[in-house]
Amino acid sequence: MKKFLLPENGNFYKANLHCHTNLSDGYLSPEQVKEHYKSKGYSVVAYTDHDILIPHDDLNDEDFLALHGFEMEINEPKDAPFNFIKTCHICFIGLEPDNILQPLWHRSAYQFSNAVNYKHLVKFDENEPDYVRHYGHEGISDIMQKARAKGFFVTYNHPAWSKERYPDYIGYKGMHAMEMFNGGCIRSGYDDYNFAAYDDFLCSGNKIFCIGADDNHNHCPLDSRYDDSGWAFTVIKAESLDYRTITKALENGDFYASEGPEIYDLWIEDDKIHIKTSPVDSICINYEHRASQRIMNDDFSPVTEANLVYRPDYGYFRITLIDKNGKHACTNAYFPE
């Protein structure tokens, strides 16, 4: 009997789940972001400007869905220039289309760049006191858990750019996912392909997902190689391009992260993991146990499918595709249960 790890039925939707516009520190308007991403084949963009949750439902059409969210930054309390301190960045995406109250709001602090000019548009619970941010395991976990309880999909962002290492991030509890790829940081030269950090979280008991996202600001010409759109993305499989259908797919892990390669089918049958993909150079599987497997051809011809060993006693597994240009696609981790 087949057990599908990506849903058997539905459509694939290309998504950017971390995006900035000129409402905070990006260069493009929300409308320009929509058109730019639609031209690159995207169907979903989560608008996550810094510190302000502003819905963009007016941008929705039959081919495009705007998810509402925001990004929060929590900085190390250190008397030093910003480039010398650690910081933690977290994105929050509302799971319900009408969930537009921003949690963890502070009436007079934290907004920067253009966000200060749009804070009057933010809706929040006026009965709650100003939320003060604290850097560290306890403070950041509190943020993640409170936002999650308020109905937000929580992602931990770009640990390499943030200068966070294992002792810093391993105590964070409450995220749904972390960025396997942050395209904007990779474009800038940071090593934000974060497979090691993902395994750190998994091995410490955090059953979380991994996403790909651009974190685009679009400071560079859109027709140049330096444009930070389209470097990394999340492919969501869902029945329709409806807000709650898409966010339920996020909650269920019905997606994969990519820099380019595509996954068409993924299922378990007869003690084998079966995967069908776009043409890639190799397909790799890694387990929680010290075991792995790589499928590739001696003549360097493309690989488009593989049958991989399924061993529940090996713990979780995750699969990585690598194309001829060194671009990756990564599944979420799947656990025996």
Side-chain angles (χ1 to χ4, degrees):
M1 180 177 176
K2 286 186 175 181
K3 177 178 176 59
F4 285 90
L5 303 180
L6 286 174
E8 180 181 10
N9 301 311
N11 306 302
F12 287 109
Y13 298 105
K14 190 175 181 180
N16 177 22
L17 300 180
H18 185 173
C19 163
H20 299 285
T21 76
N22 61 4
L23 301 190
S24 62
D25 59 344
Y27 271 39
L28 300 182
S29 68
E31 295 81 6
Q32 289 171 318
V33 165
K34 171 185 174 178
E35 294 308 315
H36 190 41
Y37 273 87
K38 284 189 71 173
S39 74
K40 291 179 174 291
Y42 286 72
S43 301
V44 180
V45 171
Y47 286 82
T48 56
D49 277 306
H50 285 283
D51 304 308
I52 50 170
L53 191 164
I54 298 177
H56 297 288
D57 296 330
D58 57 304
L59 300 179
N60 295 339
D61 60 39
E62 61 181 9
D63 300 314
F64 184 84
L65 176 66
L67 302 178
H68 48 255
F70 67 102
E71 185 177 23
M72 177 182 285
E73 59 288 333
I74 309 96
N75 298 328
E76 179 186 22
K78 184 177 179 181
D79 186 17
F82 178 71
N83 286 345
F84 290 86
I85 67 172
K86 298 172 184 177
T87 184
C88 177
H89 285 211
I90 311 166
C91 278
F92 308 94
I93 299 170
L95 291 171
E96 297 287 349
D98 59 352
N99 189 4
I100 58 173
L101 287 182
Q102 181 164 332
L104 311 166
W105 178 252
H106 196 291
R107 293 166 177 79
S108 61
Y110 303 121
Q111 293 82 34
F112 71 95
S113 188
N114 240 9
V116 298
N117 299 316
Y118 294 94
K119 60 182 294 185
H120 64 284
L121 299 176
V122 172
K123 299 181 184 301
F124 60 95
D125 187 343
E126 297 188 8
N127 294 316
E128 292 191 357
D130 289 339
Y131 187 87
V132 178
R133 306 173 187 182
H134 296 284
Y135 184 81
H137 294 168
E138 183 177 348
I140 289 168
S141 296
D142 185 66
I143 288 168
M144 291 179 171
Q145 291 163 14
K146 279 186 166 62
R148 186 168 180 151
K150 293 285 188 179
F152 287 81
F153 187 81
V154 179
T155 66
Y156 170 56
N157 304 336
H158 50 59
W161 180 90
S162 298
K163 297 301 179 185
E164 293 199 305
R165 302 294 184 259
Y166 179 92
D168 306 305
Y169 61 66
I170 201 59
Y172 300 162
K173 306 292 183 182
M175 68 187 78
H176 288 90
M178 67 161 292
E179 288 183 341
M180 179 67 85
F181 311 107
N182 183 292
C185 294
I186 292 170
R187 192 274 301 170
S188 299
Y190 293 92
D191 189 16
D192 262 303
Y193 168 33
N194 296 300
F195 67 92
Y198 188 43
D199 279 323
D200 285 341
F201 279 117
L202 297 172
C203 289
S204 67
N206 294 278
K207 295 180 180 179
I208 63 172
F209 305 130
C210 64
I211 66 166
D214 273 336
D215 190 6
N216 59 295
H217 294 76
N218 304 111
H219 295 170
C220 300
L222 301 186
D223 58 353
S224 78
R225 189 176 177 184
Y226 291 95
D227 178 35
D228 55 5
S229 293
W231 283 73
F233 50 90
T234 300
V235 179
I236 302 167
K237 194 163 190 188
E239 289 288 345
S240 64
L241 193 62
D242 168 79
Y243 194 107
R244 190 62 183 113
T245 303
I246 291 296
T247 58
K248 281 182 179 178
L250 290 178
E251 288 185 284
N252 293 336
D254 295 337
F255 58 86
Y256 64 90
S258 184
E259 297 176 292
E262 298 173 293
I263 300 173
Y264 302 141
D265 284 301
L266 180 61
W267 74 94
I268 296 176
E269 186 178 25
D270 299 329
D271 295 323
K272 293 286 186 182
I273 302 160
H274 305 267
I275 187 168
K276 294 185 177 181
T277 72
S278 61
V280 295
D281 182 67
S282 63
I283 299 174
C284 306
I285 186 168
N286 293 92
Y287 305 86
E288 182 177 3
H289 185 282
R290 187 182 294 113
S292 62
Q293 185 181 6
R294 182 188 291 267
I295 304 299
M296 56 186 173
N297 292 323
D298 281 335
D299 62 0
F300 294 91
S301 60
V303 178
T304 58
E305 60 184 313
N307 300 317
L308 304 162
V309 174
Y310 176 54
R311 289 282 301 269
D313 57 320
Y314 281 8
Y316 71 79
F317 68 85
R318 58 182 188 82
I319 300 170
T320 304
L321 315 182
I322 308 171
D323 71 13
K324 65 179 181 180
N325 298 314
K327 299 294 186 181
H328 303 80
C330 298
T331 71
N332 288 311
Y334 294 98
F335 288 79
E337 63 270 24

